[in-house]
Amino acid sequence: MLIRRLPPHERSSYADHLKRLSPEDRHLRFARAGVSDEWIDAHVAAISEDGLILVGVLRERVIAAAHLALDDDNAVAEVGLSVDIEHRSGGLGRELLNQAVVFARNRRAGKLYTLCLSDNRGMVALARRAGMAVEFSQGEAEAHLPLPPPDPLTVSQEMSTGLFAVFHDWAELFDRYGALVNAAVPGMRAKE
Ligand SMILES: CC(C)(COP(=O)(O)OP(=O)(O)OC[C@H]1O[C@@H](n2cnc3c(N)ncnc32)[C@H](O)[C@@H]1OP(=O)(O)O)[C@@H](O)C(=O)NCCC(=O)NCCS
């Protein structure tokens, strides 16, 4: 499993991941009822080119995501998380939240913020585990985490995520190319 930043031309795979969420999970993810496929398409299309979407990828499929939205002066980074149902409770949500903190710090955001429904036990547990202060009000829970400035470790963490993604993509390309050569030239093994 690889966690990496999703480039703009792959946004449809993020939309597909969100559309696999059940109606209940869509409600939990966006803290609003009646989230349709069309609403998801419009939501994803509205994310700017430089928007930050971190994804967990397994066999070329987005199985988990964190959308990090920075406000105009980069003071607050709001994060929304989602994990495909069959991949939950394995630490993916926590790992994505940790990566979101790294990316937010590197953009000098002063605070990480998330909003969820107050009965979203998974997200509240996750936020508390990440050290966020959680406040409940009128059926909603708001979580805040003050962020220190970036340091060499956060910068190298973000860089290594990018480098690892490049090597992963290369390995996949090489595998695919090898399979094509093997199919085209029986008896020849591309990797040898
Ligand atoms: C919330 C969500 C992202 C968690 O993803 P996940 O991959 O299952 O989370 P993790 O496996 O990293 O779990 C992190 C912690 O939360 C706890 N947790 C997860 N789901 C829980 C639940 N339903 N009730 C109580 N605790 C829960 C885990 O036990 C774990 O604690 P631990 O570190 O002490 O073991 C996932 O359930 C999801 O996509 N929900 C639907 C969308 C949503 O609610 N998004 C959040 C709003 S932005």
Side-chain angles (χ1 to χ4, degrees):
M1 225 281 311
L2 168 79
I3 291 184
R4 66 169 165 89
R5 185 172 173 182
L6 191 75
H9 66 276
E10 290 180 27
R11 293 264 166 97
S12 62
S13 59
Y14 173 51
D16 291 343
H17 157 71
L18 292 174
K19 288 177 195 170
R20 284 196 296 277
L21 296 176
S22 67
E24 296 73 28
D25 282 341
R26 292 180 188 197
H27 187 196
L28 292 173
R29 166 62 182 84
F30 294 103
R32 57 181 291 156
V35 172
S36 63
D37 285 358
E38 293 71 28
W39 188 92
I40 288 174
D41 282 331
H43 166 76
V44 173
I47 298 172
S48 65
E49 279 273 305
D50 57 355
L52 273 171
I53 301 169
L54 307 178
V55 289
V57 180
L58 185 67
R59 289 187 281 279
E60 296 182 62
R61 185 177 201 182
V62 169
I63 59 163
H67 176 206
L68 199 58
L70 288 134
D71 64 359
D72 288 342
D73 52 4
N74 272 17
V76 180
E78 178 170 0
V79 65
L81 292 175
S82 47
V83 177
D84 273 354
I85 192 149
E86 63 272 33
H87 294 286
R88 290 191 190 157
S89 300
L92 257 177
R94 186 176 45 209
E95 184 54 33
L96 276 167
L97 192 54
N98 291 341
Q99 291 285 347
V101 166
V102 167
F103 276 70
R105 283 183 61 187
N106 287 344
R107 277 145 196 85
R108 298 190 174 274
K111 186 162 80 170
L112 187 76
Y113 168 82
T114 192
L115 169 75
C116 67
L117 299 177
S118 49
D119 57 0
N120 191 343
R121 289 176 49 229
M123 190 59 208
V124 170
L126 207 56
R128 286 205 168 116
R129 186 54 65 100
M132 300 181 85
V134 186
E135 286 167 22
F136 297 91
S137 170
Q138 297 175 339
E140 292 183 337
E142 290 186 300
H144 302 265
L145 180 72
L147 297 174
D151 60 25
L153 183 62
T154 59
V155 173
S156 67
Q157 281 171 324
E158 181 169 338
M159 277 172 62
S160 59
T161 308
L163 281 176
F164 188 55
V166 169
F167 284 125
H168 182 272
D169 289 350
W170 259 89
E172 272 190 357
L173 207 69
F174 197 74
D175 273 353
R176 253 184 268 161
Y177 172 73
L180 279 177
V181 171
N182 287 338
V185 188
M188 179 171 171
R189 295 181 62 100
K191 283 189 187 175
E192 287 173 359

